[in-house]
Amino acid sequence: MRSWQMASFRPQNWLMDARLPNTLPVGEPEIIADCCDSIPAGPLDTAVLLRVFLMHDEAPIIEGEVRMFSDLVTGDGLLDKTKVLEWEALYKGMGGKTVERFTIRTDKGVASYIFKPLNNREAVGREAWVHRSLLPHLPRIAVPKLLASAPHHDPDRYWTIFEDLGPLEHQLSENEVVQAASLIPCWHQLPLSLIPRSLTGNKPLYRDILRHVHRNREQAESLLLRLGMPPKWISPLRQIILGAEQTVDSETVVSHGDFHRGNIAVAGGEIVILDWEHAHRNSPFWDLYNLLDLTHPVFRRQTSDALRQSALNAYIASRRRLGWEEPPGFIRSYYEYAAVHSVWMLLLIQDDLQRDVWEPSDLLQAQAETLASLEDCVRCLLQ
């Protein structure tokens, strides 16, 4: 059990080159939608994006709370321990800064909150924008309330403060996995205009992953044989990957962007979804793959094919109720997408084992989980 939440899963060499933009919009959604189509494609300079998106000042969420919390933060963007009653470190993010729970006395009594300094420079201000401009469209989704954020966009000093939901359980039951899958359509059915084209996620897009797998096909096949995949599956898997190009141009939706089980928790019997700063446009399969088949070095998952099928069916049923028409072969397309991603993940895990990025035991467990997912996908595609 973890208190509040874990850091986003972003070991550097598992990312390849995601080409993340270095800022985010802070204007209203319709203003952003008007702007974003005029932004040139490709990697963008921070200053260019700031000039485009900072046309409108960010209004405080609740002005009094912002002032109260701002007084608790040092000029360096860290929690001032001299101004709180108690504090405890929860975890250290990938950027080396520590997320902390702190307690203060308010006019309603003693209360605890979560202090989250920016650990990902590329996401400066992005979470605050999501809470203001995207999450109001998702009233069914439980998230920790963002109470205050830094009144500037200096990535070295940027911070946010959230309500404290107390201990969060990330080890989901099978019913909770299915429930989480049924929530995904709530944001997949939102208008794409809510998300600027310039915002990207923290992993490469499917097209880039597929290209990487193609370039490293012989290495991947050799690795799969060493890991124990039946030789008779190698040729069919090769054909699956070669035929997966059609999935590249599938539907594009509003994606949470980082929907692995470290960002999904249960609090008070309710599913809570964390860390929305990587929201972007992507395939509907990306959030599903994060939930069902993406390997995480900390949060263990065991997804049987029966659970995978139940979760996919729950997603489809929930999205149909919101007016979606399921395209032909949706579940088969998911299995193709998951197979390609799982081969990619196995290549990256193998690289991490050689680089000593994570604990070897965690990586070996992640490798076994990913291979099991891949074999499930190939088995179903061959039926």
Side-chain angles (χ1 to χ4, degrees):
M1 179 179 294
R2 293 274 175 169
S3 292
W4 199 63
Q5 60 175 308
M6 283 292 295
S8 295
F9 174 38
R10 300 190 66 216
Q12 185 175 358
N13 59 327
W14 283 36
L15 293 179
M16 297 172 58
D17 181 12
R19 312 290 285 184
L20 295 178
N22 291 327
T23 188
L24 74 139
V26 296
E28 294 303 315
E30 56 270 16
I31 295 171
I32 295 162
D34 290 340
C35 296
C36 62
D37 288 340
S38 65
I39 298 174
L44 299 176
D45 181 78
T46 301
V48 173
L49 279 170
L50 284 171
R51 285 196 296 273
V52 172
F53 287 126
L54 301 187
M55 296 185 300
H56 295 269
D57 292 334
E58 180 179 350
I61 298 170
I62 300 177
E63 188 173 350
E65 286 186 344
V66 171
R67 285 198 301 267
M68 175 184 73
F69 289 124
S70 294
D71 291 340
L72 304 176
V73 182
T74 69
D76 293 332
L78 302 175
L79 182 65
D80 188 342
K81 307 300 195 304
T82 68
K83 295 182 178 179
V84 302
L85 299 177
E86 296 178 342
W87 66 276
E88 63 172 310
L90 298 181
Y91 65 87
K92 183 174 289 188
M94 295 299 296
K97 296 181 179 178
T98 302
V99 176
E100 300 162 301
R101 172 181 286 113
F102 67 92
T103 302
I104 59 173
R105 193 176 304 279
T106 71
D107 56 2
K108 297 180 181 179
V110 175
S112 63
Y113 304 92
I114 303 298
F115 177 76
K116 185 180 178 185
L118 183 68
N119 270 288
N120 175 11
R121 292 177 60 87
E122 294 86 356
V124 58
R126 190 158 162 175
E127 196 159 25
W129 174 81
V130 168
H131 277 256
R132 185 182 65 255
S133 300
L134 184 64
L135 294 185
H137 298 273
L138 298 171
R140 285 184 56 198
I141 304 302
V143 300
K145 182 181 178 182
L146 176 64
L147 301 175
S149 60
H152 57 76
H153 287 79
D154 179 351
D156 293 321
R157 301 183 298 116
Y158 194 81
W159 53 268
T160 49
I161 291 178
F162 292 84
E163 70 172 321
D164 182 11
L165 298 180
L168 300 182
E169 178 57 66
H170 294 277
Q171 298 300 324
L172 306 181
S173 68
E174 291 194 354
N175 286 338
E176 289 162 347
V177 171
V178 172
Q179 183 182 350
S182 72
L183 294 175
I184 298 175
C186 294
W187 57 89
H188 281 189
Q189 287 297 98
L190 291 177
L192 276 178
S193 60
L194 292 174
I195 296 287
R197 295 181 187 275
S198 60
L199 295 187
T200 62
N202 63 349
K203 304 289 191 301
L205 293 175
Y206 181 71
R207 186 186 304 275
D208 298 318
I209 288 174
L210 185 59
R211 187 179 299 119
H212 180 81
V213 171
H214 280 314
R215 284 200 307 263
N216 296 276
R217 178 178 61 81
E218 292 184 2
Q219 178 187 349
E221 291 178 358
S222 176
L223 173 62
L224 291 172
L225 289 172
R226 291 202 310 272
L227 294 177
M229 175 172 278
K232 65 180 181 180
W233 284 7
I234 297 298
S235 179
L237 175 59
R238 184 185 307 143
Q239 296 306 311
I240 289 168
I241 292 173
L242 290 173
E245 292 282 355
Q246 61 186 359
T247 313
V248 171
D249 299 317
S250 65
E251 179 188 16
T252 300
V253 298
V254 174
S255 173
H256 175 281
D258 204 24
F259 199 60
H260 63 76
R261 299 195 192 178
N263 287 333
I264 309 165
V266 178
E270 183 176 34
I271 296 287
V272 179
I273 302 174
L274 312 166
D275 284 359
W276 287 81
E277 67 260 38
H278 299 298
H280 65 291
R281 301 182 183 195
N282 206 330
S283 163
F285 299 136
W286 178 237
D287 285 335
L288 287 165
Y289 180 74
N290 271 259
L291 172 65
L292 299 176
D293 290 298
L294 180 69
T295 299
H296 193 290
V298 176
F299 298 103
R300 302 269 63 91
R301 61 146 186 83
Q302 294 187 4
T303 303
S304 65
D305 193 56
L307 175 57
R308 189 180 292 107
Q309 289 278 354
S310 294
L312 290 171
N313 287 331
Y315 170 90
I316 291 169
S318 177
R319 201 166 172 201
R320 280 175 177 167
R321 288 193 292 271
L322 297 176
W324 179 63
E325 294 185 11
E326 177 190 353
F330 181 83
I331 290 182
R332 180 176 180 82
S333 293
Y334 171 79
Y335 278 106
E336 292 175 350
Y337 182 99
V340 170
H341 275 76
S342 294
V343 172
W344 174 70
M345 287 294 295
L346 287 169
L347 288 169
L348 297 179
I349 292 169
Q350 185 64 25
D351 186 54
D352 279 353
L353 282 166
Q354 297 171 356
R355 294 172 183 266
D356 195 27
V357 175
W358 296 91
E359 286 293 330
S361 59
D362 290 335
L363 288 173
L364 291 173
Q365 182 67 33
Q367 186 181 71
E369 291 175 352
T370 305
L371 181 64
S373 289
L374 175 59
E375 290 183 340
D376 276 351
C377 292
V378 172
R379 187 180 297 108
C380 289
L381 288 168
L382 294 180
Q383 289 178 354

